[in-house]
Amino acid sequence: MNLIDLFRINFARYANKTAIRFEDRALTFGELDAASNRVARAFQRLGLQRGDRVAFYLGNSIELVLAHLANLKLGLVLVPMNTQYRDMEITHMVNDAEPRVILTDRT
């Protein structure tokens, strides 16, 4: 059993109960499961496969949780990057980790 297996138990058991609240949004466990599945399918359309690295340069948000769950569902490797990092730190992490994709909510 791995982490996503534990989530799946709760997705099924508590499908209609609130799983997450952030600012003015809330998702049930069922909605969280369905939305993270959509993100996982989008990752697959990008060609991501088990073991690929995905860098997250995301602030706190529901989208961060959805992307993380999608990563778990596909067996992708998360490369977390603090949004307070400067160009030099980001460049080092990207060069070192060589992620296939970088997710960001920053321009």
Side-chain angles (χ1 to χ4, degrees), residues 3 11 39 52 74 92:
L3 185 56
F11 291 151
V39 175
D52 285 343
L74 296 176
H92 172 75

Side-chain angles (χ1 to χ4, degrees), residues 45-56:
R45 285 191 298 274
L46 291 173
L48 294 174
Q49 300 175 22
R50 176 175 293 282
D52 285 343
R53 290 175 295 280
V54 178
F56 282 30

Side-chain angles (χ1 to χ4, degrees), residues 9-103:
I9 291 167
N10 288 316
F11 291 151
R13 184 178 293 160
Y14 303 112
N16 296 315
K17 295 198 181 262
T18 300
I20 187 170
R21 289 183 199 277
F22 184 77
E23 295 177 349
D24 60 345
R25 294 175 62 196
L27 293 176
T28 66
F29 281 93
E31 293 168 332
L32 191 62
D33 187 29
S36 63
N37 284 341
R38 287 191 295 275
V39 175
R41 286 191 297 276
F43 286 173
Q44 288 174 319
R45 285 191 298 274
L46 291 173
L48 294 174
Q49 300 175 22
R50 176 175 293 282
D52 285 343
R53 290 175 295 280
V54 178
F56 282 30
Y57 186 69
L58 299 167
N60 293 334
S61 65
I62 287 180
E63 290 74 23
L64 170 67
V65 174
L66 296 175
H68 187 60
L69 288 170
N71 258 30
L72 291 171
K73 288 178 177 185
L74 296 176
L76 304 174
V77 177
L78 171 64
V79 179
M81 295 192 304
N82 188 315
T83 57
Q84 300 301 307
Y85 286 165
R86 301 287 184 203
D87 290 348
M88 185 174 74
E89 295 151 326
I90 293 168
T91 300
H92 172 75
M93 288 191 73
V94 169
N95 288 335
D96 186 56
E98 297 180 337
R100 294 235 10 238
V101 171
I102 301 173
L103 297 178

